[in-house]
Amino acid sequence: MASPLSLKSAINQPSGDSVFSDWNQDDSTPCHWTGISCMNVTGNPDPRVVGIAITGKNLRGYIPSELGTLIYLRRLNLHGNNFYGSLPVQLFNATSLHSIFLYGNNLSGSLPPSVCNLPRLQNLDLSNNSLTGSLPEDLKNCKQLQRLILANNKLSGQIPAGIWPQLDNLVQLDLSSNEFNGSIPNDIGELKSLSSTLNLSFNHLSGRIPKSLGNLQATVSFDLRSNNLSGEIPQTGSFANQGPTAFLNNALLCGFPLQKPCKVSTESSPASQGSTQDSGNGQKRGLSSGLIILISLADAFGVAFIGLIIVYVYWKKKDDSNGCSCTGKTKLGGNEKSHICALCSCITGFKNEESEGEDLEKASRGKGEGELVAIDKNFSFELDELLRASAYVLGKSGLGIVYKVVLGNGIPVAVRRLGEGEEQRYKEFVAEVQAIGKVKHPNVVRLRAYYWAADEKLLISDFISNGNLANALRGRSGQPSTSLSWPTRLRIAKGTAKGLAYLHECSPRKFVHGDIKPSNILLNNEFQAHISDFGLNRLISITGSNPSSSGGFIGGALPYMNSSQTDRTNNYRAPEARVSGNRPNQKWDVYSFGVVLLELLTGKSPELPTTSTSLEIPDIVTWVRKGFEEEKPLSDMVDPMLLQEVHAKKEVLAAFHVALACTEADPEVRPRMKTVSENLDRVGT
């Protein structure tokens, strides 16, 4: 049996001794050596070496050609060392290889065309080395290749055309930080399986961006930064899902999403030619184009101003007669039918009705005695009714104590007590509550009313009857739940994504939630998701309250009891959100949603994704990425509760890809929640 001892011999650094301390040539089998994986192979009585993984040990040496004699070797992972020299062509005689991870070394020379002699090659990551030369056209023979990552090398020349239509399985392409020049090949747009990233940044590419890239899947994130690209950015297909960062540092690029409009050329137009001829003859046949534009703008402004005056007078009269105004405010006591003045249609199926709540003029009444204000005029009850009702503690956190209160008409509501707080910021508090109250979406908990007094602040919202996702996944005892089938989990994920997309895109404030986690995703009896607790951090900041220090509550309240469910919120937060001083943004929510989706898929808590004691696997994101990198079977990562649902395998895999896109370390690479929602909607349909 071929032995991997050649690797030990190729190391010329003393620090390698400890790594190979148990590599003994007198052993009958290498299968118990550190970094060696073996398995039984059909037709052979003895286990064979199928994996070599020695990473991050700063080993200095060369990659021996003898590794090519390990004909059953499937994975070679030597990243994060200091291997030098070129890739030996004999390595590609190990025809079972499907994953080569040699990134983070000091390899030089060119990329051997014979790399595609490996018929099963799926993952090739040679990034962060010193490879030179051009990209071989023989790459088109890597028919099974899924990830090609050659970033941070010294590769040069043009990116050849003719390769990309042949790579039917490629999901990620990263050629960034090299020295490629010329134009982007049109046929890169024919990478039908590409679903992760297309990274061509930090090269010397020039010319226009091919419109064909718009044919790539909507989940693909472009990165074309720091090149010499020019012209207008296409607006078709997947281009609509890209942010401005994808196109930065291309001085001659223009158009959306860059804040640089393209200049309209009129040199070849007949009108322009006529104007040129007139000026050449010294004749003036009319006003100059600039003067005509100024006159047109002045006329338009005048008409618009008169129109505004007419509209203002009309709606002022309507307001005075207790009607509905298109400001979205309804006079208290008005008896006319409410009028919906605007719909938010930026996401299909999402509607944003203007709130019929109290006018902000009430904020000028001062800070006297307490007042219960209904934001939704169709939802009314008296303060005495609230005070007399029985109340049950649902939970307690830094955002206040939450009670379930059953009103006299039998309708349950959730009442959150914010505590005492400051009186000086009443107007600011009302403005914020009104903005939250305008959010109306089936996957977002609805705020119905609020109460303000000098010694008490309450928020009254819909009561969602079936607990939260944290308890649904792990139960109140912390044990895994057996009740969540794959269709149920997919329904929860889709509903949460729609609710978040609405908050980001269609809500009046374009809200950032900032604290997405399973305990903030409430479920009804049909397991429809309802996002809760958005906007509360801002209200706590305004009131300056300390909910945990408050004493009793409304009549019949139970004493506070600690919840058995402890949220480890830091594991749901994006890497940049863990740095103090950074302001929340919507990409934080995208990351948090991705972690929740991984939890739904794996059934594992984010802080304890596996029973392994390895310190190299600190969280669920790292664990799942490592699993995909090493091409582990899907059954090793998915929740065992779902293994019986064989028909859902493709759907589960598609959802994994969505979650991995959401949890990219670079926030600019993460998709918008609108895109995430649309991609999830396609799963299972």
Side-chain angles (χ1 to χ4, degrees):
M1 180 176 67
S3 170
L5 276 174
S6 58
L7 182 61
K8 180 179 180 180
S9 302
I11 303 300
N12 56 15
Q13 195 170 354
S15 63
D17 294 343
S18 59
V19 177
F20 300 106
S21 60
D22 57 357
W23 287 38
N24 191 335
Q25 63 180 352
D26 295 328
D27 290 342
S28 59
T29 175
C31 294
H32 63 272
W33 294 352
T34 300
I36 299 297
S37 301
C38 295
M39 67 178 296
N40 290 317
V41 179
T42 303
N44 290 278
D46 300 321
R48 300 292 180 172
V49 175
V50 296
I52 300 177
I54 304 175
T55 64
K57 303 300 183 182
N58 200 30
L59 300 178
R60 179 171 175 79
Y62 62 91
I63 296 178
S65 59
E66 289 84 353
L67 293 181
T69 63
L70 298 170
I71 59 174
Y72 296 105
L73 184 66
R74 300 180 182 181
R75 295 182 300 276
L76 178 62
N77 192 349
L78 301 175
H79 74 77
N81 287 293
N82 195 20
F83 286 99
Y84 56 82
S86 59
L87 279 171
V89 294
Q90 296 89 341
L91 175 64
F92 308 123
N93 293 330
T95 53
S96 295
L97 270 172
H98 65 63
S99 295
I100 300 176
F101 299 109
L102 298 176
Y103 58 91
N105 283 285
N106 193 28
L107 298 172
S108 57
S110 59
L111 180 63
S114 55
V115 68
C116 288
N117 289 347
L118 300 174
R120 298 178 177 86
L121 185 63
Q122 297 177 8
N123 301 289
L124 180 62
D125 191 343
L126 303 176
S127 58
N128 292 286
N129 280 287
S130 300
L131 299 178
T132 56
S134 59
L135 209 60
E137 294 187 6
D138 288 14
L139 278 175
K140 64 185 178 183
N141 298 323
C142 291
K143 302 294 186 181
Q144 302 301 317
L145 194 62
Q146 296 180 11
R147 293 170 183 84
L148 177 60
I149 306 175
L150 301 175
N152 287 289
N153 280 286
K154 299 177 182 178
L155 298 170
S156 59
Q158 294 191 4
I159 299 175
I163 293 177
W164 317 109
Q166 311 299 319
L167 302 183
D168 293 333
N169 296 291
L170 198 67
V171 299
Q172 181 180 4
L173 175 62
D174 190 345
L175 304 178
S176 62
S177 299
N178 279 285
E179 298 173 8
F180 290 114
N181 55 39
S183 59
I184 299 174
N186 282 316
D187 57 7
I188 287 185
E190 298 182 34
L191 287 169
K192 297 179 181 179
S193 295
L194 202 70
S195 58
S196 179
T197 56
L198 171 63
N199 194 341
L200 305 178
S201 63
F202 295 94
N203 281 288
H204 307 295
L205 300 172
S206 57
R208 291 181 172 271
I209 300 175
K211 291 183 179 179
S212 61
L213 298 190
N215 298 329
L216 297 174
Q217 294 186 35
T219 56
V220 177
S221 295
F222 297 168
D223 193 346
L224 306 178
R225 290 175 293 172
S226 299
N227 280 287
N228 301 315
L229 300 170
S230 59
E232 184 175 4
I233 299 171
Q235 302 298 310
T236 58
S238 56
F239 282 102
N241 299 320
Q242 312 303 321
T245 307
F247 308 101
L248 293 179
N249 299 324
N250 287 279
L252 299 179
L253 269 187
C254 61
F256 182 84
L258 297 177
Q259 294 182 346
K260 182 180 180 183
C262 296
K263 295 180 180 179
V264 180
S265 175
T266 59
E267 292 180 359
S268 60
S269 66
S272 176
Q273 293 173 2
S275 175
T276 303
Q277 292 173 359
D278 288 347
S279 60
N281 295 330
Q283 299 174 353
K284 296 183 179 179
R285 296 188 178 182
L287 299 175
S288 68
S289 59
L291 188 55
I292 291 173
I293 292 173
L294 287 175
I295 293 173
S296 300
L297 288 175
D299 287 344
F301 178 81
V303 172
F305 182 75
I306 294 172
L308 284 174
I309 293 176
I310 294 173
V311 171
Y312 174 79
V313 172
Y314 174 77
W315 288 114
K316 182 66 176 175
K317 290 182 178 179
K318 293 284 286 182
D319 281 349
D320 290 342
S321 62
N322 288 330
C324 169
S325 72
C326 266
T327 61
K329 303 169 184 175
T330 304
K331 291 261 185 171
L332 290 178
N335 53 16
E336 294 186 15
K337 182 179 288 188
S338 62
H339 177 69
I340 298 173
C341 301
L343 294 177
C344 179
S345 57
C346 55
I347 300 178
T348 304
F350 291 178
K351 295 183 180 180
N352 175 26
E353 300 176 7
E354 289 291 326
S355 173
E356 305 106 21
E358 177 192 47
D359 196 312
L360 290 181
E361 292 175 1
K362 289 187 71 78
S364 65
R365 293 184 179 183
K367 316 174 187 71
E369 61 184 35
E371 186 172 20
L372 180 67
V373 180
I375 295 176
D376 181 358
K377 75 173 186 177
N378 296 319
F379 186 88
S380 61
F381 57 91
E382 298 296 330
L383 179 60
D384 289 344
E385 182 183 357
L386 181 66
L387 296 175
R388 289 194 306 267
S390 298
Y392 306 89
V393 175
L394 295 174
K396 180 179 181 181
S397 69
L399 297 178
I401 305 173
V402 182
Y403 301 82
K404 174 185 176 183
V405 177
V406 181
L407 301 176
N409 57 7
I411 297 177
V413 294
V415 179
R416 182 182 294 276
R417 186 186 186 200
L418 300 181
E420 298 180 6
E422 300 177 0
E423 298 182 40
Q424 290 79 12
R425 302 173 72 177
Y426 175 62
K427 292 179 66 174
E428 193 175 352
F429 176 87
V430 173
E432 197 69 24
V433 168
Q434 291 289 340
I436 296 173
K438 290 180 180 180
V439 173
K440 301 178 183 179
H441 188 273
N443 297 112
V444 180
V445 174
R446 181 81 177 274
L447 182 64
R448 298 291 185 173
Y450 69 90
Y451 174 80
W452 172 284
D455 58 350
E456 194 72 86
K457 284 87 183 169
L458 308 175
L459 300 177
I460 297 93
S461 60
D462 287 344
F463 173 74
I464 309 301
S465 57
N466 203 17
N468 60 48
L469 179 58
N471 288 334
L473 280 170
R474 292 183 289 277
R476 295 188 180 277
S477 62
Q479 298 302 314
S481 170
T482 60
S483 61
L484 292 184
S485 64
W486 170 242
T488 299
R489 298 185 196 210
L490 186 58
R491 185 187 312 128
I492 293 170
K494 288 181 177 182
T496 305
K498 287 180 180 179
L500 264 181
Y502 175 87
L503 289 176
H504 286 185
E505 305 280 351
C506 280
S507 64
R509 291 280 185 88
K510 302 290 190 292
F511 281 102
V512 174
H513 189 290
D515 195 20
I516 291 296
K517 54 187 177 181
S519 60
N520 283 338
I521 299 171
L522 308 184
L523 306 173
N524 64 13
N525 290 332
E526 288 76 38
F527 286 94
Q528 294 289 346
H530 299 260
I531 298 172
S532 68
D533 283 10
F534 73 94
L536 290 180
N537 281 309
R538 173 68 177 155
L539 290 177
I540 294 293
S541 174
I542 291 173
T543 60
S545 58
N546 183 9
S548 61
S549 66
S550 302
F553 183 60
I554 51 184
L558 296 177
Y560 163 68
M561 295 178 293
N562 283 315
S563 170
S564 62
Q565 176 62 44
T566 302
D567 286 312
R568 311 237 175 146
T569 57
N570 199 52
N571 293 285
Y572 295 100
R573 301 177 69 188
E576 70 274 14
R578 303 171 194 177
V579 179
S580 60
N582 284 352
R583 297 188 62 182
N585 61 64
Q586 293 179 350
K587 289 303 180 72
W588 292 17
D589 289 346
V590 175
Y591 185 95
S592 299
F593 174 80
V595 178
V596 172
L597 184 53
L598 287 177
E599 194 169 354
L600 281 166
L601 291 166
T602 64
K604 297 182 182 294
S605 300
E607 69 277 2
L608 294 172
T610 178
T611 57
S612 171
T613 58
S614 173
L615 297 178
E616 297 181 0
I617 309 177
D619 56 51
I620 194 172
V621 175
T622 304
W623 180 72
V624 171
R625 288 190 181 280
K626 186 177 179 67
F628 274 89
E629 179 183 279
E630 296 180 351
E631 293 299 311
K632 289 184 177 179
L634 193 62
S635 58
D636 287 356
M637 294 182 286
V638 75
D639 189 339
M641 302 293 178
L642 304 180
L643 290 179
Q644 297 177 355
E645 302 184 49
V646 181
H647 62 282
K649 182 177 179 180
K650 289 185 178 180
E651 297 176 10
V652 169
L653 186 60
F656 263 117
H657 285 305
V658 173
L660 290 173
C662 291
T663 52
E664 289 282 357
D666 185 351
E668 294 297 338
V669 177
R670 296 172 208 151
R672 293 159 54 193
M673 274 311 306
K674 175 184 176 182
T675 303
V676 173
S677 179
E678 291 170 347
N679 291 337
L680 277 178
D681 272 343
R682 287 193 284 267
V683 176
T685 57

